[in-house]
Amino acid sequence: MVNLEKTSREIHKVLRATWRCYDVDTEHCDKAGVGDAVRQRALCTDLTIVGPALLNETSLGPLVINGSLFDTGKPVLVVPEGAEATLSPRRVLVGWDSRVEASRSIREALHLQAGAEEVRVAVVDPEATCTGNGAEPGADIAAYLTRHGARVWVDRLASRGKPVATVLAQHAIDTSADVIVMGAYGSRWLRERLSGSVIRWIVGTPLPLFLAR
């Protein structure tokens, strides 16, 4: 409780300096109630931001992300230690696999992508689309983003046996991306609620992740 009150005061101090309207709420509950406490608050927000302090708490990080992401349908911005979070990124990497969850993540992050200098749509181990018009993989979502004012390039990548998440993270580094946008349920590695192994991958990723499902 002492640590909770100390953190609350520190957050008040930071927010007061921004001259914005704000509210700081605290909740002291056992581990079983963490997901529901987060869910109740996330339902009334546009975006939940999860920082490194929670991510490094391996017993709490998955509960917070699951409560905000899977139980509300609202997007989450995950910020690992050392990553610089911004809502005005210059370069955005989008993980695209033609699934509903990936589409939702792109729609939820339109405000990030429309204002970026560069949006790179990454398609890992792509297969030709079955639209009957000969469109290349990724061309459909690139056209969608372009209509919303984004400057889009499509990168078709081969996994060469590596996990999709690893390929995306490396490509984000190679393209100097500021944030990775991806669906949190369509990819095989995130089809279940976030596990310890996925949290470890997130913690080891040097970039913020914008997740939606």
Side-chain angles (χ1 to χ4, degrees), residues 19-187:
W19 296 94
R20 296 177 182 272
C21 294
Y22 70 91
D23 183 37
V24 178
D25 193 12
T26 60
E27 179 82 21
H28 188 265
C29 58
D30 57 26
K31 190 177 296 184
V34 169
D36 189 58
V38 173
R39 180 191 65 82
Q40 291 181 27
R41 288 156 180 80
L43 282 171
C44 301
T45 64
D46 296 313
L47 177 69
T48 298
I49 301 175
V50 181
L54 271 176
L55 289 176
N56 291 333
E57 287 282 348
T58 55
S59 62
L60 289 180
L63 297 176
V64 171
I65 298 177
N66 288 332
S68 56
L69 180 65
F70 290 94
D71 294 338
T72 67
K74 299 294 186 72
V76 173
L77 181 65
V78 182
V79 186
E81 191 165 1
E84 295 186 9
T86 176
L87 295 179
S88 301
R90 295 177 58 193
R91 296 182 178 87
V92 179
L93 179 72
V94 175
W96 177 245
D97 61 4
S98 298
R99 295 178 181 271
V100 171
E101 294 76 22
S103 175
R104 181 173 175 80
S105 71
I106 289 172
R107 187 188 71 191
E108 293 284 358
L110 277 177
H111 61 293
L112 301 181
Q113 298 161 97
E117 295 178 4
E118 178 180 279
V119 177
R120 306 202 72 101
V121 175
V123 187
V124 181
D125 293 336
E127 297 180 1
T129 59
C130 299
T131 59
N133 58 10
E136 292 291 333
D140 47 0
I141 198 64
Y144 169 79
L145 285 168
T146 299
R147 288 194 293 270
H148 283 277
R151 302 173 182 87
V152 188
W153 287 259
V154 178
D155 299 325
R156 301 176 182 94
L157 311 173
S159 67
R160 296 185 175 87
K162 297 179 181 178
V164 171
T166 301
V167 175
L168 290 176
Q170 185 58 55
H171 193 59
I173 295 171
D174 293 342
T175 57
S176 301
D178 298 310
V179 63
I180 301 174
V181 174
M182 61 189 303
Y185 201 72
S187 300

